[in-house]
Amino acid sequence: MPVVAIIGAQWGDEGKGKVVDLLAAKAGVVVRSQGGANAGHTIIRQQKVILHLLPSGILTPKIKCLIGPGVVLDPDAFIEEVKAVEALGVDLKGRLTLDLRTHLVFPTHKLLDACQERARGKEMIGTTSRGIGPAYADKAARHGVRVGDLLDSRQRKKACGKLFDNHAALLKGVFHEEAPDRAAFMEKTEFWAETLKPFTGDTVALLHDALDRNQTIILEGAQGTLLDLDLGTYPFVTSSHPTVAGPIVAMGIPPQRIDSVIGVLKAYCTRVGSGPFPTEMDEKTAKIVRSSGGEFGSTTGRPRRCGWLDLVAAKQVARWNGCTGWAITKLDVLDNLEPIKVCTGYRLGRRNVQNLPAGADQWEAVKPLYEELPSWKKSAGARRWEDIPKAAQNYLAKIESFTGVPIELISLGASQEATILPRGEII
Ligand code: GDP
Ligand code: IMO
Ligand code: MG
């Protein structure tokens, strides 16, 4: 049975939540392996559910959901999300496991995130203020606190106290901010320990058990490849690896066990926060797309910047992840838009380039080269390939021919029904 990685192919918010929720019906296990509560994955069932930390398989009865060691977990956000899905009648008993190695995000990480952003001034990244950068920094510095540290009372007091004091010194000494009350924080860690305990376990071992039992496994990416800490538009990136490498590094899953890698590619681009965005639209066009695509952050509510589909970037992203197929989302949002442009080259100074820039200054300097393609009236409502307007079929064919990656899924609306699988079932 297959192991399928679902990877964001742009700057996040491509519609990974919908794709994972759809495929989850056929899966045994869904795994979140990186990122934290900066993610916002929307699922439309009878109601709209936005998940930040829980894998997007959680609404599908019986399947197992794992939160692995590569995630940074805000316990308050986790507890709130668990309550919210239970309130929807979702039975979590024995279905949700949180790895003992997963690092914790403290309230002071969020304060530090905000202080660091303020200190960056005009060069602010535009983070989600969820404490992601500071939490991964502490992990890399090897003084982070992990879920497992909470479970033994002495270890909890020691590890949490030490990191809190480190944060308090930073907040005061560097940013001239008072830290929150220490005693109240230590009390909170006790509450975290009690509440998280029933969910804790070894997700790496569980994943390998599932592999041995030949179960279908979905590796759910968070964020998008162009926000990757190493390969993205640094420093305007997140602090984890949203590529297929995410689960390989953090879940102990060997690369050859991953059977397919589906890149989720929105029919246009969006980006939240600052940083290079070569195909960004003029504000008049962006407003139209933002409004018809509902392009406002699922986590922060911020208006998303909108741009034309960047095929140069998509082709590189497919190479880096070894994409075996695309899931093209939000095709319906381009209905009635005229003209339709796609970027098929970059101009850097006097050169045409096809590789994504390695240097930050080059990222700022590249100019997109566009092709105009025929527009169409209405793809929304199509439920078979034949029902998609010819010009939209042509648009999809352009994506396939330019990137060399076949389209496995076409999404034309937020609901599960608004989906076409042109090559048959994915799993
Ligand atoms: P994720 O972070 O990649 O899971 O994406 P988000 O949930 O942050 O953003 C995607 C948004 O687009 C959500 O509001 C989805 O409900 C919505 N969506 C997903 N697929 C489609 C689609 O094909 N058409 C339209 N119109 N909306 C979609
Ligand atoms: P999903 O999983 C879109 C962006 C932030 C900011 C940068 C760094 O829903 O696709 P961070 O808080 O991670 O330190 O912010 O990364 N960002 C996202 N943008 N979708 C996301 O997640 C994102 N997670 C982080 O806007 O530019
Ligand atoms: Mg999102």
Side-chain angles (χ1 to χ4, degrees):
M1 298 290 259
V3 178
V4 185
I6 305 293
I7 301 298
Q10 291 153 324
W11 283 279
D13 302 328
E14 299 91 349
K16 299 175 291 293
K18 168 180 166 168
V19 174
V20 172
D21 176 50
L22 183 81
L23 299 181
K26 297 248 183 88
V29 183
V30 180
V31 186
R32 260 291 299 272
S33 26
Q34 42 73 227
N38 49 349
H41 296 180
T42 313
I43 296 174
I44 308 286
R45 295 269 187 115
Q46 283 82 4
Q47 65 285 311
K48 179 173 173 171
V49 180
I50 301 179
L51 299 169
H52 302 285
L53 285 163
L54 303 189
S56 298
I58 204 75
L59 301 186
T60 307
K62 296 203 172 75
I63 71 168
K64 293 254 190 305
C65 290
L66 310 180
I67 300 180
V71 169
V72 287
L73 186 113
D74 174 346
D76 290 327
F78 174 82
I79 292 164
E80 200 181 305
E81 216 167 301
V82 162
K83 264 203 225 145
V85 297
E86 282 182 334
L88 294 173
V90 176
D91 183 9
L92 295 182
K93 206 153 177 273
R95 289 186 50 215
L96 175 63
T97 309
L98 177 55
D99 203 278
L100 289 163
R101 310 167 184 91
T102 305
H103 280 251
L104 298 180
V105 178
F106 285 1
T108 41
H109 281 122
K110 291 186 263 187
L111 286 175
L112 284 167
D113 194 352
C115 288
Q116 289 171 355
E117 279 285 83
R118 218 175 308 130
R120 289 184 185 111
K122 280 204 296 243
E123 276 141 36
M124 72 190 284
I125 294 167
T127 71
T128 57
S129 6
R130 295 301 186 269
I132 304 300
Y136 277 116
D138 280 341
K139 170 179 168 171
R142 292 157 295 172
H143 52 228
V145 177
R146 309 197 294 175
V147 168
D149 290 320
L150 292 177
L151 303 187
D152 173 78
S153 157
R154 266 187 43 197
Q155 173 60 12
R156 171 176 59 78
K157 286 182 192 150
K158 190 173 132 205
C160 292
K162 221 166 148 188
L163 190 58
F164 181 91
D165 292 340
N166 171 301
H167 288 174
L170 266 176
L171 284 164
K172 201 168 168 109
V174 179
F175 299 108
H176 314 295
E177 290 278 341
E178 280 306 317
D181 182 64
R182 191 180 197 277
F185 169 74
M186 294 309 289
E187 221 171 276
K188 191 188 255 281
T189 65
E190 198 178 340
F191 166 68
W192 288 346
E194 282 161 16
T195 321
L196 263 45
K197 192 169 181 206
F199 295 102
T200 56
D202 181 347
T203 62
V204 177
L206 290 174
L207 180 64
H208 275 273
D209 285 348
L211 285 168
D212 291 345
R213 277 185 279 117
N214 237 355
Q215 285 194 293
T216 297
I217 295 164
I218 298 177
L219 306 169
E220 174 182 6
Q223 290 78 52
T225 299
L226 297 170
L227 289 171
D228 183 87
L229 182 59
D230 286 315
L231 298 172
T233 51
Y234 191 90
F236 302 101
V237 292
T238 191
S239 299
S240 70
H241 298 291
T243 62
V244 70
I248 294 170
V249 168
M251 294 303 303
I253 186 164
Q256 67 271 31
R257 292 305 300 263
I258 300 175
D259 299 286
S260 48
V261 181
I262 303 291
V264 186
L265 189 74
K266 187 144 57 174
Y268 50 95
C269 288
T270 60
R271 169 159 210 169
V272 202
S274 331
F277 189 5
T279 62
E280 188 158 19
M281 292 162 169
D282 62 76
E283 191 45 31
K284 192 169 152 231
T285 317
K287 258 197 181 137
I288 298 171
V289 173
R290 189 176 300 125
S291 141
S292 50
E295 294 296 356
F296 296 89
S298 315
T299 299
T300 58
R302 290 179 289 177
R304 296 175 180 151
R305 296 158 69 192
C306 297
W308 299 106
L309 180 61
D310 187 338
L311 288 179
V312 177
K315 192 170 177 176
Q316 297 304 312
V317 163
R319 275 187 173 186
W320 295 343
N321 287 297
C323 288
T324 54
W326 291 125
I328 306 295
T329 58
K330 306 190 89 160
L331 186 68
D332 55 298
V333 175
L334 298 183
D335 290 0
N336 286 313
L337 196 69
E338 202 178 346
I340 299 258
K341 299 205 282 184
V342 287
C343 169
T344 51
Y346 282 175
R347 187 109 185 128
L348 188 59
R350 279 191 275 164
R351 284 181 306 127
N352 284 355
V353 291
Q354 282 291 335
N355 277 325
L356 295 184
D361 50 341
Q362 293 176 342
W363 259 115
E364 293 293 353
V366 290
K367 298 270 179 287
L369 300 171
Y370 289 114
E371 281 180 35
E372 270 190 27
L373 297 179
S375 53
W376 58 89
K377 287 265 178 295
K378 190 168 181 275
S379 70
R383 296 292 177 265
R384 298 174 313 161
W385 172 260
E386 304 79 74
D387 302 333
I388 300 175
K390 279 278 169 300
Q393 286 183 0
N394 181 47
Y395 187 76
L396 296 168
K398 180 81 191 175
I399 298 174
E400 287 193 333
S401 64
F402 191 92
T403 60
V405 175
I407 293 173
E408 297 278 0
L409 183 152
I410 303 160
S411 172
L412 313 104
S415 69
Q416 283 197 358
E417 301 76 55
T419 313
I420 296 173
L421 305 177
R423 293 183 155 76
E425 297 295 332
I426 298 177
I427 53 177

